[in-house]
C-alpha cells in the first residue's frame, strides 16, 4: 500500500507541476512586451496563499511530504510570477499588487500560521489549516464555471482551452485517489470537486466540439477572453 501511495503521489506531483507552470506563456508575453497589459495579479496572489497554506499543512501532517514538496514548488513559481508582474506593471497596478501581496501573502498568512501554532495543539493545527485550505480551494473552484457558462451560451468550446480542462481533470482525479488512499478528506473534498468540474468540461467538449455557434458574441469578446488570466486552480494537493 505504501508503494502505491508513493507512486500516486509522485504522479500527482508531476501533474501539479505542469499546472503551476501553465501560466508561463502569459509571463513570457509580459516580459517580451514589457507590459502586464490587461492581466490581473489577484489570481497569482491567491494561488500563492493557497500553496503556502498547503505547504504548511504538508509540513505539519506526518507522511504528507509529497503535499509539502509540490506546493513548496508552487510557492517559488508564484513568487516569480508576482515579481515579474511587479516589474512590468504600470504604477497604479503595481501599488495594488503590492498591497494585495502584503495583506494576503504576508499579513494574513503570518497571522494564520502564528495563531494556529501558538493557540492550537498539533492535531488542531492540522485540522484548522486543512479546513481553511479546502475552503479556499472550493471558493477558487468557481473560476471554471464562467468558462463553462460561456461554452453553453455560445455552443462553442473556442474559448475554453482543452489542455487546461484536461489537466484539471487529471489533477483532480489523481489527488482524489491519493486522498482516499491516505484517508485525508481535506485533500479529497476539493479535489473531488475539481475532478467533477474537469469531467463536466470534457463532456462539454464532446458535446460542442464541432459547433461553430459563437458568431453572436460581442466584437471585443475574444480579445477580452484572451486577456483573462487562467489559474492553475486545481493545484491543491
Amino acid at each position: 500500500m505504501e508503494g502505491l501511495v508513493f507512486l500516486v503521489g509522485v504522479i500527482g506531483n508531476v501533474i501539479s507541476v505542469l499546472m503551476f507552470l501553465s501560466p508561463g506563456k502569459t509571463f513570457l508575453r509580459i516580459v517580451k512586451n514589457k507590459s502586464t497589459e490587461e492581466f490581473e495579479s489577484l489570481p497569482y496572489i491567491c494561488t500563492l496563499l493557497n500553496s503556502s497554506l498547503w505547504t504548511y499543512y504538508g509540513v505539519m501532517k506526518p507522511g504528507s511530504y509529497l503535499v509539502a514538496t509540490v506546493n513548496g514548488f508552487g510557492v517559488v513559481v508564484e513568487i516569480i510570477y508576482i515579481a515579474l508582474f511587479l516589474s512590468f506593471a504600470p504604477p497604479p497596478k503595481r501599488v495594488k499588487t503590492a498591497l494585495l501581496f502584503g495583506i494576503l501573502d504576508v499579513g494574513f498568512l503570518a497571522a494564520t500560521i502564528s495563531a494556529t501554532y501558538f493557540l492550537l495543539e498539533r492535531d488542531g493545527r492540522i485540522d484548522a489549516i486543512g479546513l481553511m485550505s479546502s475552503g479556499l480551494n472550493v471558493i477558487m473552484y468557481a473560476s471554471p464555471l464562467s468558462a463553462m457558462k460561456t461554452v453553453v451560451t455560445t455552443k462553442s468550446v473556442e474559448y475554453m482551452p482543452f489542455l487546461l480542462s484536461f489537466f484539471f481533470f487529471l489533477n483532480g482525479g489523481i489527488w482524489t485517489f491519493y486522498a482516499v488512499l491516505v484517508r485525508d478528506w481535506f485533500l479529497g473534498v476539493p479535489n473531488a470537486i475539481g475532478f467533477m468540474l474537469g469531467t463536466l468540461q470534457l463532456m462539454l467538449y464532446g458535446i460542442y466540439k464541432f459547433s461553430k455557434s459563437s458568431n453572436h458574441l460581442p466584437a471585443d469578446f475574444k480579445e477580452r477572453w484572451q486577456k483573462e488570466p487562467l489559474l492553475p486552480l486545481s493545484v491543491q494537493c
Side-chain angles (χ1 to χ4, degrees):
M1 177 64 75
E2 289 184 6
L4 178 61
V5 169
F6 179 76
L7 177 61
V8 172
V10 169
I11 294 173
N13 273 16
V14 172
I15 296 173
S16 295
V17 165
L18 294 176
M19 294 289 292
F20 276 124
L21 295 176
S22 62
K25 186 176 179 181
T26 294
F27 283 91
L28 286 176
R29 171 175 168 177
I30 287 174
V31 173
K32 180 180 179 181
N33 295 336
K34 298 186 184 327
S35 171
T36 57
E37 302 175 28
E38 299 301 317
F39 293 109
E40 293 294 334
S41 59
L42 182 60
Y44 309 102
I45 290 171
C46 290
T47 303
L48 175 57
L49 174 61
N50 191 37
S51 298
S52 300
L53 289 173
W54 279 117
T55 301
Y56 182 42
Y57 177 84
V59 169
M60 286 190 302
K61 185 169 183 179
S64 297
Y65 56 91
L66 288 173
V67 174
T69 53
V70 71
N71 280 285
F73 174 82
V75 169
V76 173
V77 171
E78 297 304 322
I79 287 175
I80 293 173
Y81 289 158
I82 293 170
L84 290 173
F85 204 95
L86 287 170
S87 298
F88 296 104
K93 190 173 288 189
R94 187 177 303 167
V95 171
K96 177 183 176 183
T97 298
L99 285 174
L100 287 172
F101 175 80
I103 293 171
L104 295 176
D105 295 326
V106 178
F108 179 78
L109 180 63
T112 299
I113 292 175
S114 298
T116 55
Y117 185 81
F118 291 110
L119 299 179
L120 299 173
E121 299 296 331
R122 191 182 72 171
D123 288 346
R125 278 181 232 142
I126 294 172
D127 290 343
I129 295 298
L131 184 62
M132 190 178 302
S133 300
S134 297
L136 180 60
N137 282 147
V138 171
I139 292 172
M140 292 172 71
Y141 264 132
S143 174
L145 296 178
S146 61
M148 294 167 67
K149 179 182 177 182
T150 300
V151 170
V152 174
T153 302
T154 65
K155 302 187 186 308
S156 171
V157 296
E158 185 176 358
Y159 303 113
M160 189 169 72
F162 173 78
L163 283 180
L164 194 65
S165 299
F166 183 63
F167 278 115
F168 204 78
F169 166 80
L170 286 181
N171 193 72
I174 197 68
W175 284 109
T176 300
F177 185 35
Y178 177 87
V180 171
L181 290 176
V182 300
R183 298 182 181 181
D184 189 331
W185 308 118
F186 292 125
L187 290 176
V189 171
N191 279 290
I193 294 173
F195 175 70
M196 288 187 290
L197 287 175
T199 301
L200 287 174
Q201 288 184 40
L202 293 179
M203 289 175 63
L204 289 177
Y205 259 98
I207 296 171
Y208 296 113
K209 180 179 179 181
F210 301 105
S211 175
K212 303 295 183 181
S213 304
S214 60
N215 295 329
H216 62 282
L217 293 175
D220 65 337
F221 181 87
K222 183 172 183 178
E223 181 180 358
R224 287 189 284 112
W225 183 267
Q226 288 176 334
K227 291 182 177 180
E228 184 174 334
L230 296 175
L231 256 182
L233 292 184
S234 52
V235 183
Q236 57 276 332
C237 40

